[in-house]
Every structure is written in structure tokens, then in C-alpha cells.
């Protein structure tokens, strides 16, 4: 059973899986040995070999620079700043951002001892300025205290660069009901009301 | 991104993981490439190569017969009948059953068209009878309609074999509060009340 235990213990380290669900997942894998277990082993091994962090934007891809940085159809004047690669994926799924990205790799956090030098802020600053095509930076950090602190810090550092700094709109989520919304979101939505 | 998509799609097929949690898991794997991603790829590949179904009891192990069937310290007079390997693992974790097991591989289900010939019932019958050490069969199928139907069927088939057939006790779970318990369990616990 050592082999099964090994699989269970490693699966249990994934976010969202505990010991019990890891055992269920392991059993399911063994029962679908050829259709799921072997393909997953190969996919993991291939991905571990081939995926690298893009030196330009911090995205994960198999090419250097990444597919988004290399894509000539992308608008070179816009950069969207996100905390993590997962946020980049979320924005890409919407299909509504045509520019390129910059992944900070986290947020400023006094509590966790994460300062500006621990994030990809210097490389962000090197992408704007004279001779660079970027004219607008869209800040898409999370609406948490740390995310907003980071957004403010980045805005300050960009003050002299001459680029326009914008942030995502805050308001009522699409499909959201006012009655179930938290007060902060509702207040923000009211403050940012738009003329029809 | 094809390599990442492949990992996400395969992870999303595991029970308990949807598309969103599969993406989170894939990101976590890529971030822990050497400590988690490669070891998991290897563990899956090793397990796929080495794990087999025990021809005697239906357990999963790397030896044939499995470690439990081969263990001479196990009580040869008791067999515990379970639906799935996961149930066997659950009983093993309690450390309170000293006999051996028999995995049916499912339950009788008219709805899903699963009859006695689809389960490991013939092999169970071949493990009892004259000349065999087994004197007691403990039925540990689930307390579902199908599980109980299967338990009754197995009991009938064992009627002429001369072995004692028992089942797990039903009642109030340890730590359970009566107020939150369903009526069926409470009624069963009352019916099976024991003298102090």
C-alpha cells in the first residue's frame, strides 16, 4: 500500500483536497488507470519540464517570452497589473482585455514581511517610460486591504512615468441582488453611479 | 498553455475537484514544481505500474495476493464483506478488525442493471464451506437501499454454507447528538438498545 499512500499524501497537499477527498481521488485514479492516472502522470511530468516563468511579464508558458507577450495582435499600449497568474487566467477567460499583462507575484504585506523588493515592481517600472509603447496601466489587484495597498504603492511609483493609471470598476456584480450585497460594495456602487 | 490546460482538464476529472479548483491545484503544482509536481507525477506512474487487484479478496495492493490476505497474523475465521476498496481502507484505519476482507466491487442495483454476476459474489461463496477456515462473515455494506438489498442477497446465498453471518451495529454515531439525528437512525438505536 506504500505506493497508494504516497499518491494520497501528495494529492492531500493540493489546495481544496483534504486527506479524505485525496483518498477518494486516489481510488478514482486507480480505477481509471489508463484513461486518467497515466495521462495525468505524463501531463504533470511534461508540464514540470516545459513550463517556465516569462521573464517579461511573469506569466507561465512553454515559450520565452510567453505567448501573450509575443502575440503581435495584442495592444502594446496597455498593461494590466495582476497579483498572481491565476488572476491573469481569469481575465483572459473573459476575452475582453486586448493588452498585455504584468504579474506582481503577490501583494505588499507588512504582516508577512513582503516589501516592494519581493514583488515584480522594478520590472514593471522598466516597462514604462520614454521610448516604451505603454500609455495605460490597468491595476487589477484584489479588493483586499493588501491588494489596495499594493495598488496605491504602484500608482505612486508610476506617478512620474507619464502613463495613465486606471483600476477595475467596483460595483454590483452582474446578476447580483442588492439585498444580498455587502454594504461596502453597495456604497462603492452608489458612489461610482453612472449617467444613463 | 497547452501543457497547463492538459493538467487542469485531467485534475478536473477527479472527484471533488471542479474546473475552478483544478486550476488552483494546477497553479499550486507549478509553483511547487520540485517538491510536489514531479513527486506526484512519479508516484502516479509508479502506482499505475505496480498496483493490482488482489485475486482473492479484491483489495488493491502491489503484491498478489494482497498484504492482508498474506498476513499470517490475520484471523482466518473472519471475513468482512465490503462494497468498495475505500470501505476496506476505512475499516483498516479503525484498527479494530483482525480478520480478512472481501470486496464486492459494488452493490446490486436494478436501476443500474447490476446483478449478482457483476459483483464478486461467486468468489465470496468459494471462500466458505467445508474445509475452509471461515466461520463468520461480517456484512459491512452501506446503509443504503442498494447496500441493504445486497446484504440480504448475500445472506441468503450463504444460508446453506454453515457460517455465521453478522452485520455492523446500527445506532447513534459516537459524538452524535440525538437532537440532530435522523428518525431512522434513532429508531434503529432504540430497537437495538443494550442492557447496561
Amino acid at each position: 500500500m506504500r505506493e497508494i499512500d504516497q499518491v494520497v499524501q501528495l494529492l492531500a497537499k493540493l489546495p481544496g483536497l483534504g486527506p479524505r477527498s485525496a483518498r477518494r481521488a486516489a481510488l478514482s485514479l486507480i480505477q481509471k488507470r489508463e484513461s486518467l492516472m497515466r495521462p495525468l502522470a505524463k501531463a504533470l511530468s511534461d508540464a514540470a519540464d516545459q513550463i517556465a516563468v516569462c521573464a517579461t511579464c511573469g506569466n507561465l508558458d512553454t515559450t520565452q517570452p510567453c505567448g501573450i507577450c509575443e502575440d503581435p495582435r495584442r495592444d502594446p499600449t496597455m498593461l494590466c497589473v495582476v497579483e498572481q497568474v491565476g488572476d491573469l487566467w481569469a481575465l483572459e477567460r473573459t476575452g475582453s482585455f486586448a493588452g498585455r499583462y504584468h504579474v506582481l507575484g503577490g501583494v505588499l504585506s507588512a504582516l508577512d514581511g513582503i516589501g516592494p523588493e519581493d514583488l515584480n515592481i522594478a520590472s514593471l517600472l522598466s516597462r514604462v517610460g520614454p521610448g516604451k509603447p505603454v500609455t495605460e496601466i490597468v491595476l487589477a489587484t484584489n479588493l483586499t486591504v493588501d491588494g489596495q495597498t499594493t495598488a496605491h504603492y504602484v500608482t505612486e511609483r508610476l506617478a512620474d512615468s507619464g502613463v495613465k493609471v486606471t483600476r477595475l470598476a467596483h460595483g454590483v456584480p452582474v446578476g447580483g441582488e442588492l439585498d444580498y450585497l455587502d454594504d461596502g460594495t453597495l456604497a462603492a456602487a452608489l458612489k461610482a453611479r453612472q449617467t444613463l
Side-chain angles (χ1 to χ4, degrees), chain A residues 56-193:
Chain A
T56 308
C57 75
N59 187 16
L60 294 166
D61 205 343
T62 50
T63 57
Q64 187 69 268
C66 76
I68 294 176
C69 285
E70 289 234 281
D71 188 343
R73 291 163 304 179
R74 289 276 176 166
D75 182 352
T77 66
M78 291 183 83
L79 270 192
C80 181
V81 175
V82 294
E83 293 179 15
Q84 301 287 0
V85 175
D87 304 325
L88 186 161
W89 291 359
L91 285 161
E92 278 299 284
R93 282 197 300 279
T94 69
S96 48
F97 181 68
R100 299 207 170 95
Y101 294 91
H102 195 84
V103 181
L104 292 178
V107 281
L108 296 176
S109 168
L111 215 64
D112 298 331
I114 295 171
E117 66 288 349
D118 300 314
L119 305 178
N120 301 325
I121 290 180
S123 57
L124 172 62
L125 297 175
S126 76
R127 295 178 76 182
V128 297
K132 302 287 165 64
V134 176
T135 57
E136 179 176 350
I137 302 257
V138 183
L139 295 177
T141 52
N142 289 327
L143 272 189
T144 55
V145 172
D146 287 345
Q148 292 307 291
T149 308
T150 309
H152 279 122
Y153 179 81
V154 171
T155 309
E156 268 178 37
R157 292 292 298 271
L158 289 167
D160 301 331
S161 66
V163 296
K164 186 166 122 190
V165 180
T166 57
R167 62 163 198 181
L168 295 186
H170 305 157
V172 183
V174 175
E177 296 186 39
L178 296 196
D179 200 15
Y180 291 97
L181 219 55
D182 65 292
D183 298 347
T185 304
L186 207 49
L190 197 58
K191 207 167 155 190
R193 66 191 178 280

Side-chain angles (χ1 to χ4, degrees), chain A residues 17-31:
Chain A
L17 282 182
R20 192 175 289 261
S21 45
R23 280 195 295 268
R24 275 185 63 213
L27 261 182
S28 162
L29 280 164
I30 295 168
Q31 275 153 8

